[in-house]
Amino acid sequence: MIRLGLRLTVAGGREALVRLITIAAAVALGVGLVLATVAAINAVHSLNHRYAWMNTGLVPAAAGDSVHADALWWAPREDFYDADAIARVDVAATGPDSPIPPGVPRLPAAGEYFVSPKLHDLLAVTPPEQLGDRFPGHEVGIIGDEALPSPTSLVILIGHDPAEAAKLPNARQVTSIFGTSPEDCAGCIVGYRAAGFDLVLGVVAGALLFPVLIFIGTATRLTAARREQRYAAMRLIGATSGQISKMAVVEAAVAAVIGTVLGFGVFLVLRKPLAAIPFTGAPFFPDDMALTATNVVCVAVGVPVAALLVAWLSLRRVRVSPLGVTRRTTPKPPRAYRLIPLVAGVAWLSYLDGHRPDTSIKQVAVFLPGFLVVMSGLVVAGPWFTMVGSRLLARRAQRPSTLIAARRLSDNPQGGFRAVSGLVLAMFVTSVAVGVIGTISDDRNATDYRFDTGYVRQMFWPEPGPTGTPAVTDQLKAVPGVTDVFFLRSNPGFGGADQPGAYGDQPYVMSCADLARHPELGSCPAGAEAVSVADFGVPKGMPAPPWPAAAITAAEVERLPIASIQVGNDGSVGAIERSRTLLEAAFPSVHRPIAERDFTKDTTNMFTGWVQLANVVILASLPIAGCSLAASVAGGLSDRKRPFSLLRLTGVSLRTLRRVVLLESVMPMLAVAAVAIGMGLLSAQLFLRAQMHTTLVPPGWEYYVMVAAGLILSLAVIAGTLPLLARMTGPEVARND
């Protein structure tokens, strides 16, 4: 039977060849996308492993880290250029056996430094007063990729004398380089909790795999009626149910194997473009988008097996009875119990509000099944929704085409929903992605503050800063693009809300003369010379507050220690970075100066990566759904060309038949797509409330344009198959075979 199945597959004429190519293409696309998703999960873990050494000194040495006899002075700090983070580590060896970080052949001596390739390129094109003057010494080498989380990482390792290194901020002595990945480290502050990304990518894998499996099932059913009749005839002459099953599956097996092989080629093509997506805030090394042997085996075996199972189920009627095809009995209508998986998935996501696990790994374990159950529930419940919609349509039918379409859908809602099931899942995925990402974006904008916007800020903490006016002030004012320099002074005695300071209940004191130049930050009461102010300022969209007066004169304000130097600027890179360089040189023993952009760009990059990933899912799932829809409609026309030909012979116009085909696809598409959109937004709301304690922000007009475009394109796909009716329903087709 296997040999006969192979012969029918490869020598079955044009129909068999088209079906073989279609299934193979569907499997290839699915395998390529799933492999890319699995490789992205591996890339996150590889990126995390390269972060490990940067946690040296921040947490105790882990078991397995080699301990050296001579200590190493280790002073990590973070710097920025144009809002890109620079990981800076100042080191000094105390002996020949001091530990050496990865990526460098030796420790830099005093006056030397190693840099990452990206920082090397940046130093070569950036004026020294904006960046290079911050780093003492000269470059002696490049840090290797094994120490860099990303090809765009900016890292510098600077050498010092031990006596000099001991005076640096955060300086400490270490005897080993930390080697534990941040995802396995409770106290690490550099790196990511990879389980959170596993959750997102796991949902992505499901979102891509479900439509592909539906497409495989749809492609398998092309010319299903003709093959069912052929298999039924074989049953009547003595073929067993098992033999028919083998023949039905062999065709899908050949296509699945071909598609799986091609899918690995698709992955190799997609690997480099996908590695450039800054999903974690920075792109991956393409080599990190790699597969383990287990990944290869699971995908190489699992996807073909899933394809075979779908093919086996798609022709299950023939295995029940050899007369089942010729009798054409109406399938049993779907029952309301099909709603159980959908309700269970929503109930589970609702339960997680208030019961969310504390660890990322456990969150993956509870959220991922919830989303997959909802997606499965939509597929299971789809025929029931189609049946309900078709019955409502039949009651209100005023045209023969409407009545015929409604009755056919009511008799076989499974077949009607099968055509649009891929589109339904695409709408669900789109709704979840847009709902979650749009809400996160809105929250980020709502929590932005005006006080730090447009300023470079040099903080002095925990020790008080200098008094009076520092000498660097005049240098800062001379920088092109700097618009103002003013100071926030420490409020003596301030200890929080329960312990107000000597000059009010805010942590800082500011001169009214300075504040008058910046009305966007607030105002002074009439007659006051100084006010007490907070450090976070005013959220965007809120009016600037009137700050309370401080019982102190302007002259007395000058004698208070500086808590923060605020350098106003025009936002240009030159003004910000030259100011930062001057401040670092003037105050080398305190924490580096910061700008508001330093904290937003990294988050923005990660958010952009999430948006791009969502676009990849949407742009991949919609074409798959469109192909599934086209294959299903075309296959349905092929299977029903004889009944349609008989209708034409009885006087039914071609226009009416086209309207029947259109309604049979449009009604379930609109009905179940509306349910999928609602379930997508509801799932997004439940996830946001449980995971982020926030509420879904209604999608903007872009979302509705995207949904409308998807539906319009689907209608265009259906309309593109209608011309087949004229060629497939001629009088010659109505003859008895």
Side-chain angles (χ1 to χ4, degrees):
M1 285 296 155
I2 294 177
R3 184 179 302 174
L4 179 58
L6 288 172
R7 183 175 180 180
L8 293 175
T9 300
V10 299
R14 186 173 62 182
E15 290 182 351
L17 181 61
V18 170
R19 190 167 55 249
L20 179 67
I21 294 174
T22 303
I23 298 174
V27 174
L29 182 60
V31 169
L33 293 174
V34 171
L35 288 175
T37 305
V38 173
I41 295 175
N42 295 337
V44 171
H45 292 280
S46 297
L47 176 147
N48 244 353
H49 183 73
R50 291 192 174 97
Y51 269 121
W53 71 277
M54 296 183 185
N55 286 299
T56 298
L58 303 177
V59 291
D65 293 340
S66 58
V67 178
H68 295 255
D70 298 319
L72 174 70
W73 278 106
W74 185 269
R77 63 188 300 186
E78 189 176 34
D79 207 334
F80 289 89
Y81 178 82
D82 193 18
D84 289 324
I86 301 174
R88 170 176 172 172
V89 182
D90 296 85
V91 298
T94 61
D97 192 39
S98 294
I100 301 176
V104 293
R106 61 176 178 85
L107 289 170
E112 298 178 342
Y113 55 77
F114 289 91
V115 294
S116 63
K118 191 70 174 180
L119 185 54
H120 168 82
D121 296 339
L122 186 61
L123 288 169
V125 299
T126 304
E129 65 272 14
Q130 294 185 22
L131 181 61
D133 290 347
R134 304 179 201 174
F135 310 131
H138 60 279
E139 180 184 324
V140 294
I142 301 296
I143 299 175
D145 291 349
E146 62 270 24
L148 305 177
S150 167
T152 61
S153 296
L154 303 177
V155 183
I156 185 168
L157 190 68
I158 305 176
H160 295 271
D161 291 321
E164 182 183 37
K167 300 176 183 179
L168 295 173
N170 300 323
R172 68 207 71 183
Q173 288 188 327
V174 299
T175 56
S176 62
I177 302 299
F178 195 72
T180 301
S181 175
E183 61 201 61
D184 301 320
C185 170
C188 291
I189 63 174
V190 181
Y192 302 104
R193 294 291 178 264
F197 296 107
D198 291 350
L199 168 62
V200 176
L201 291 171
V203 174
V204 168
L208 294 173
L209 190 57
F210 267 66
V212 169
L213 291 178
I214 290 173
F215 185 19
I216 293 172
T218 302
T220 303
R221 289 193 60 84
L222 287 173
T223 65
R226 184 186 298 269
R227 285 183 292 152
E228 286 176 346
Q229 291 175 356
R230 182 177 63 196
Y231 293 149
M234 293 181 181
R235 289 290 309 275
L236 289 172
I237 61 175
T240 66
S241 175
Q243 290 173 329
I244 295 299
S245 296
K246 290 180 182 179
M247 293 180 59
V249 168
V250 162
E251 183 177 30
V254 173
V257 171
I258 295 174
T260 300
V261 174
L262 295 176
F264 280 88
V266 172
F267 162 68
L268 294 177
V269 172
L270 294 177
R271 183 172 68 164
K272 191 171 182 179
L274 291 178
I277 296 178
F279 178 50
T280 62
F284 298 122
F285 285 105
D287 289 343
D288 285 349
M289 294 278 291
L291 301 170
T292 66
T294 302
N295 298 150
V296 173
V297 171
C298 289
V299 174
V301 175
V303 173
V305 168
L308 295 181
L309 180 62
V310 170
W312 183 72
L313 292 174
S314 67
L315 297 173
R316 62 187 180 277
R317 283 194 302 166
V318 182
R319 300 192 307 274
V320 176
S321 168
L323 298 178
V325 174
T326 57
R327 289 177 178 173
R328 297 293 178 188
T329 57
T330 300
K332 293 182 180 179
R335 302 296 180 87
Y337 69 80
R338 285 176 170 267
L339 298 175
I340 293 176
L342 184 61
V343 174
V346 172
W348 178 247
L349 292 177
S350 301
Y351 171 78
L352 294 178
D353 182 20
H355 299 85
R356 178 177 63 89
D358 296 330
T359 65
S360 298
I361 295 177
K362 292 181 180 179
Q363 290 168 13
V364 174
V366 297
F367 278 111
L368 180 57
F371 280 106
L372 295 181
V373 169
V374 173
M375 294 175 69
S376 302
L378 285 171
V379 175
V380 173
W384 186 84
F385 287 114
T386 301
M387 180 192 68
V388 172
S390 65
R391 291 179 177 178
L392 292 175
L393 183 66
R395 292 174 186 173
R396 292 166 174 77
Q398 296 181 355
R399 293 183 176 183
S401 58
T402 306
L403 182 60
I404 294 173
R407 290 301 303 269
R408 285 188 59 83
L409 285 174
S410 181
D411 287 344
N412 186 17
Q414 291 91 342
F417 171 73
R418 188 183 301 118
V420 299
S421 53
L423 179 66
V424 166
L425 289 180
M427 290 296 178
F428 173 81
V429 171
T430 300
S431 300
V432 173
V434 172
V436 172
I437 291 175
T439 301
I440 294 174
S441 176
D442 187 80
D443 285 351
R444 288 176 61 245
N445 293 331
T447 56
D448 200 2
Y449 290 90
R450 288 204 306 256
F451 194 84
D452 291 329
T453 303
Y455 296 96
V456 176
R457 191 179 193 191
Q458 176 66 69
M459 296 286 293
F460 297 92
W461 56 276
E463 300 298 327
T467 58
T469 302
V472 74
T473 303
D474 291 336
Q475 294 176 280
L476 290 169
K477 291 181 178 179
V479 172
V482 169
T483 57
D484 192 21
V485 180
F486 61 95
F487 310 99
L488 302 183
R489 307 276 178 167
S490 297
N491 190 350
F494 181 80
D498 57 344
Q499 187 179 345
Y503 305 110
D505 57 358
Q506 302 294 346
Y508 306 118
V509 177
M510 183 177 180
S511 164
C512 284
D514 290 338
L515 187 57
R517 299 194 302 272
H518 301 279
E520 76 278 3
L521 301 181
S523 59
C524 286
E529 295 187 35
V531 289
S532 60
V533 298
D535 55 349
F536 289 116
V538 187
K540 286 183 177 179
M542 298 292 291
W547 296 107
I552 185 174
T553 66
E556 291 171 331
V557 169
E558 296 292 324
R559 294 194 290 269
L560 293 176
I562 295 176
S564 172
I565 301 176
Q566 302 283 146
V567 183
N569 58 80
D570 59 5
S572 64
V573 174
I576 293 173
E577 300 310 330
R578 288 186 67 181
S579 301
R580 199 196 305 267
T581 300
L582 288 172
L583 289 169
E584 289 193 20
F587 307 104
S589 299
V590 298
H591 293 277
R592 81 287 184 278
I594 57 176
E596 187 264 348
R597 296 172 61 215
D598 299 342
F599 299 99
T600 59
K601 186 172 182 179
D602 189 55
T603 304
T604 300
N605 287 343
M606 184 177 295
F607 180 74
T608 301
W610 285 56
V611 172
Q612 291 176 342
L613 185 67
N615 290 338
V616 168
V617 176
I618 294 170
L619 294 176
S621 58
L622 284 177
I624 296 173
C627 293
S628 179
L629 178 62
S632 180
V633 175
L637 291 177
S638 176
D639 290 341
R640 289 179 289 158
K641 58 185 179 181
R642 188 167 184 271
F644 280 164
S645 298
L646 292 174
L647 286 173
R648 288 193 66 185
L649 289 176
T650 59
V652 177
S653 66
L654 188 61
R655 181 179 180 182
T656 300
L657 292 180
R658 287 174 176 170
R659 190 178 293 119
V660 169
V661 174
L662 188 63
L663 287 173
E664 286 181 1
S665 300
V666 170
M667 198 288 296
M669 179 178 68
L670 295 179
V672 190
V675 175
I677 291 171
M679 287 295 101
L681 296 177
L682 176 61
S683 299
Q685 160 66 10
L686 296 175
F687 172 78
L688 290 166
R689 191 170 62 185
Q691 182 72 7
M692 306 180 67
H693 308 291
T694 188
T695 302
L696 174 72
V697 175
W701 61 269
E702 300 90 346
Y703 166 74
Y704 298 100
V705 170
M706 187 183 304
V707 170
L711 295 176
I712 292 173
L713 289 175
S714 300
L715 292 176
V717 169
I718 298 172
T721 63
L722 296 181
L724 295 174
L725 269 174
R727 297 196 300 268
M728 298 171 61
T729 57
E732 70 280 357
V733 181
R735 71 182 187 278
N736 289 323
D737 292 335

PDB file of all heavy atoms in Angstrom, residues 657-673:
ATOM      1  N   LEU A 657     -24.430  31.409  -8.383  1.00  0.00           N
ATOM      2  CA  LEU A 657     -23.467  30.472  -7.819  1.00  0.00           C
ATOM      3  C   LEU A 657     -22.280  31.210  -7.209  1.00  0.00           C
ATOM      4  O   LEU A 657     -21.763  30.813  -6.153  1.00  0.00           O
ATOM      5  CB  LEU A 657     -22.994  29.507  -8.908  1.00  0.00           C
ATOM      6  CG  LEU A 657     -24.029  28.518  -9.440  1.00  0.00           C
ATOM      7  CD1 LEU A 657     -23.408  27.620 -10.506  1.00  0.00           C
ATOM      8  CD2 LEU A 657     -24.598  27.671  -8.300  1.00  0.00           C
ATOM      9  N   ARG A 658     -21.852  32.259  -7.888  1.00  0.00           N
ATOM     10  CA  ARG A 658     -20.746  33.030  -7.326  1.00  0.00           C
ATOM     11  C   ARG A 658     -21.144  33.664  -6.002  1.00  0.00           C
ATOM     12  O   ARG A 658     -20.353  33.724  -5.059  1.00  0.00           O
ATOM     13  CB  ARG A 658     -20.300  34.100  -8.320  1.00  0.00           C
ATOM     14  CG  ARG A 658     -19.528  33.538  -9.509  1.00  0.00           C
ATOM     15  CD  ARG A 658     -19.244  34.607 -10.539  1.00  0.00           C
ATOM     16  NE  ARG A 658     -18.419  34.086 -11.624  1.00  0.00           N
ATOM     17  CZ  ARG A 658     -18.172  34.736 -12.759  1.00  0.00           C
ATOM     18  NH1 ARG A 658     -18.717  35.943 -12.953  1.00  0.00           N
ATOM     19  NH2 ARG A 658     -17.411  34.192 -13.688  1.00  0.00           N
ATOM     20  N   ARG A 659     -22.366  34.134  -5.917  1.00  0.00           N
ATOM     21  CA  ARG A 659     -22.838  34.724  -4.669  1.00  0.00           C
ATOM     22  C   ARG A 659     -22.907  33.659  -3.566  1.00  0.00           C
ATOM     23  O   ARG A 659     -22.604  33.939  -2.405  1.00  0.00           O
ATOM     24  CB  ARG A 659     -24.203  35.371  -4.880  1.00  0.00           C
ATOM     25  CG  ARG A 659     -24.645  36.211  -3.675  1.00  0.00           C
ATOM     26  CD  ARG A 659     -25.993  36.875  -3.930  1.00  0.00           C
ATOM     27  NE  ARG A 659     -25.896  37.870  -4.984  1.00  0.00           N
ATOM     28  CZ  ARG A 659     -26.561  37.824  -6.126  1.00  0.00           C
ATOM     29  NH1 ARG A 659     -27.368  36.799  -6.367  1.00  0.00           N
ATOM     30  NH2 ARG A 659     -26.420  38.759  -7.024  1.00  0.00           N
ATOM     31  N   VAL A 660     -23.280  32.440  -3.934  1.00  0.00           N
ATOM     32  CA  VAL A 660     -23.308  31.341  -2.959  1.00  0.00           C
ATOM     33  C   VAL A 660     -21.911  31.086  -2.394  1.00  0.00           C
ATOM     34  O   VAL A 660     -21.710  30.992  -1.182  1.00  0.00           O
ATOM     35  CB  VAL A 660     -23.873  30.058  -3.603  1.00  0.00           C
ATOM     36  CG1 VAL A 660     -23.652  28.859  -2.685  1.00  0.00           C
ATOM     37  CG2 VAL A 660     -25.356  30.229  -3.890  1.00  0.00           C
ATOM     38  N   VAL A 661     -20.932  30.967  -3.286  1.00  0.00           N
ATOM     39  CA  VAL A 661     -19.557  30.714  -2.847  1.00  0.00           C
ATOM     40  C   VAL A 661     -19.048  31.853  -1.973  1.00  0.00           C
ATOM     41  O   VAL A 661     -18.396  31.635  -0.941  1.00  0.00           O
ATOM     42  CB  VAL A 661     -18.637  30.511  -4.066  1.00  0.00           C
ATOM     43  CG1 VAL A 661     -17.181  30.394  -3.625  1.00  0.00           C
ATOM     44  CG2 VAL A 661     -19.056  29.280  -4.844  1.00  0.00           C
ATOM     45  N   LEU A 662     -19.357  33.081  -2.366  1.00  0.00           N
ATOM     46  CA  LEU A 662     -18.891  34.233  -1.598  1.00  0.00           C
ATOM     47  C   LEU A 662     -19.505  34.244  -0.201  1.00  0.00           C
ATOM     48  O   LEU A 662     -18.805  34.455   0.798  1.00  0.00           O
ATOM     49  CB  LEU A 662     -19.244  35.519  -2.357  1.00  0.00           C
ATOM     50  CG  LEU A 662     -18.669  36.822  -1.788  1.00  0.00           C
ATOM     51  CD1 LEU A 662     -17.156  36.811  -1.840  1.00  0.00           C
ATOM     52  CD2 LEU A 662     -19.209  38.026  -2.559  1.00  0.00           C
ATOM     53  N   LEU A 663     -20.810  33.998  -0.117  1.00  0.00           N
ATOM     54  CA  LEU A 663     -21.472  34.005   1.183  1.00  0.00           C
ATOM     55  C   LEU A 663     -20.982  32.870   2.065  1.00  0.00           C
ATOM     56  O   LEU A 663     -20.872  33.033   3.288  1.00  0.00           O
ATOM     57  CB  LEU A 663     -22.990  33.909   0.991  1.00  0.00           C
ATOM     58  CG  LEU A 663     -23.688  35.170   0.454  1.00  0.00           C
ATOM     59  CD1 LEU A 663     -25.148  34.877   0.150  1.00  0.00           C
ATOM     60  CD2 LEU A 663     -23.578  36.292   1.485  1.00  0.00           C
ATOM     61  N   GLU A 664     -20.703  31.709   1.473  1.00  0.00           N
ATOM     62  CA  GLU A 664     -20.223  30.578   2.264  1.00  0.00           C
ATOM     63  C   GLU A 664     -18.890  30.874   2.934  1.00  0.00           C
ATOM     64  O   GLU A 664     -18.578  30.288   3.976  1.00  0.00           O
ATOM     65  CB  GLU A 664     -20.075  29.343   1.372  1.00  0.00           C
ATOM     66  CG  GLU A 664     -21.385  28.701   0.992  1.00  0.00           C
ATOM     67  CD  GLU A 664     -21.181  27.467   0.129  1.00  0.00           C
ATOM     68  OE1 GLU A 664     -20.017  27.112  -0.147  1.00  0.00           O
ATOM     69  OE2 GLU A 664     -22.182  26.860  -0.259  1.00  0.00           O
ATOM     70  N   SER A 665     -18.104  31.757   2.375  1.00  0.00           N
ATOM     71  CA  SER A 665     -16.813  32.116   2.975  1.00  0.00           C
ATOM     72  C   SER A 665     -16.912  33.358   3.842  1.00  0.00           C
ATOM     73  O   SER A 665     -16.283  33.432   4.896  1.00  0.00           O
ATOM     74  CB  SER A 665     -15.770  32.347   1.879  1.00  0.00           C
ATOM     75  OG  SER A 665     -15.587  31.195   1.091  1.00  0.00           O
ATOM     76  N   VAL A 666     -17.722  34.334   3.402  1.00  0.00           N
ATOM     77  CA  VAL A 666     -17.770  35.609   4.114  1.00  0.00           C
ATOM     78  C   VAL A 666     -18.488  35.467   5.451  1.00  0.00           C
ATOM     79  O   VAL A 666     -18.056  36.050   6.458  1.00  0.00           O
ATOM     80  CB  VAL A 666     -18.453  36.678   3.238  1.00  0.00           C
ATOM     81  CG1 VAL A 666     -18.723  37.944   4.047  1.00  0.00           C
ATOM     82  CG2 VAL A 666     -17.577  37.007   2.044  1.00  0.00           C
ATOM     83  N   MET A 667     -19.597  34.729   5.502  1.00  0.00           N
ATOM     84  CA  MET A 667     -20.368  34.649   6.732  1.00  0.00           C
ATOM     85  C   MET A 667     -19.551  34.080   7.889  1.00  0.00           C
ATOM     86  O   MET A 667     -19.452  34.706   8.951  1.00  0.00           O
ATOM     87  CB  MET A 667     -21.639  33.827   6.502  1.00  0.00           C
ATOM     88  CG  MET A 667     -22.704  34.042   7.591  1.00  0.00           C
ATOM     89  SD  MET A 667     -22.302  33.294   9.182  1.00  0.00           S
ATOM     90  CE  MET A 667     -22.291  31.562   8.725  1.00  0.00           C
ATOM     91  N   PRO A 668     -18.918  32.895   7.754  1.00  0.00           N
ATOM     92  CA  PRO A 668     -18.110  32.406   8.881  1.00  0.00           C
ATOM     93  C   PRO A 668     -16.892  33.282   9.146  1.00  0.00           C
ATOM     94  O   PRO A 668     -16.460  33.414  10.299  1.00  0.00           O
ATOM     95  CB  PRO A 668     -17.701  30.998   8.442  1.00  0.00           C
ATOM     96  CG  PRO A 668     -17.868  30.966   6.962  1.00  0.00           C
ATOM     97  CD  PRO A 668     -18.982  31.909   6.663  1.00  0.00           C
ATOM     98  N   MET A 669     -16.362  33.899   8.079  1.00  0.00           N
ATOM     99  CA  MET A 669     -15.193  34.758   8.287  1.00  0.00           C
ATOM    100  C   MET A 669     -15.545  35.934   9.183  1.00  0.00           C
ATOM    101  O   MET A 669     -14.834  36.237  10.146  1.00  0.00           O
ATOM    102  CB  MET A 669     -14.667  35.255   6.940  1.00  0.00           C
ATOM    103  CG  MET A 669     -13.463  36.176   7.052  1.00  0.00           C
ATOM    104  SD  MET A 669     -12.826  36.690   5.431  1.00  0.00           S
ATOM    105  CE  MET A 669     -14.178  37.729   4.870  1.00  0.00           C
ATOM    106  N   LEU A 670     -16.653  36.606   8.910  1.00  0.00           N
ATOM    107  CA  LEU A 670     -17.037  37.770   9.707  1.00  0.00           C
ATOM    108  C   LEU A 670     -17.500  37.358  11.103  1.00  0.00           C
ATOM    109  O   LEU A 670     -17.160  38.014  12.099  1.00  0.00           O
ATOM    110  CB  LEU A 670     -18.140  38.545   8.989  1.00  0.00           C
ATOM    111  CG  LEU A 670     -17.751  39.182   7.644  1.00  0.00           C
ATOM    112  CD1 LEU A 670     -18.940  39.906   7.037  1.00  0.00           C
ATOM    113  CD2 LEU A 670     -16.575  40.127   7.816  1.00  0.00           C
ATOM    114  N   ALA A 671     -18.271  36.288  11.186  1.00  0.00           N
ATOM    115  CA  ALA A 671     -18.817  35.885  12.482  1.00  0.00           C
ATOM    116  C   ALA A 671     -17.719  35.447  13.442  1.00  0.00           C
ATOM    117  O   ALA A 671     -17.629  35.928  14.579  1.00  0.00           O
ATOM    118  CB  ALA A 671     -19.841  34.770  12.287  1.00  0.00           C
ATOM    119  N   VAL A 672     -16.871  34.533  12.996  1.00  0.00           N
ATOM    120  CA  VAL A 672     -15.866  33.987  13.897  1.00  0.00           C
ATOM    121  C   VAL A 672     -14.697  34.959  14.066  1.00  0.00           C
ATOM    122  O   VAL A 672     -14.061  34.995  15.125  1.00  0.00           O
ATOM    123  CB  VAL A 672     -15.378  32.613  13.398  1.00  0.00           C
ATOM    124  CG1 VAL A 672     -14.518  31.937  14.453  1.00  0.00           C
ATOM    125  CG2 VAL A 672     -16.563  31.713  13.074  1.00  0.00           C
ATOM    126  N   ALA A 673     -14.416  35.778  13.037  1.00  0.00           N
ATOM    127  CA  ALA A 673     -13.365  36.782  13.196  1.00  0.00           C
ATOM    128  C   ALA A 673     -13.740  37.782  14.272  1.00  0.00           C
ATOM    129  O   ALA A 673     -12.882  38.238  15.041  1.00  0.00           O
ATOM    130  CB  ALA A 673     -13.114  37.494  11.873  1.00  0.00           C
TER     131      ALA A 673
END
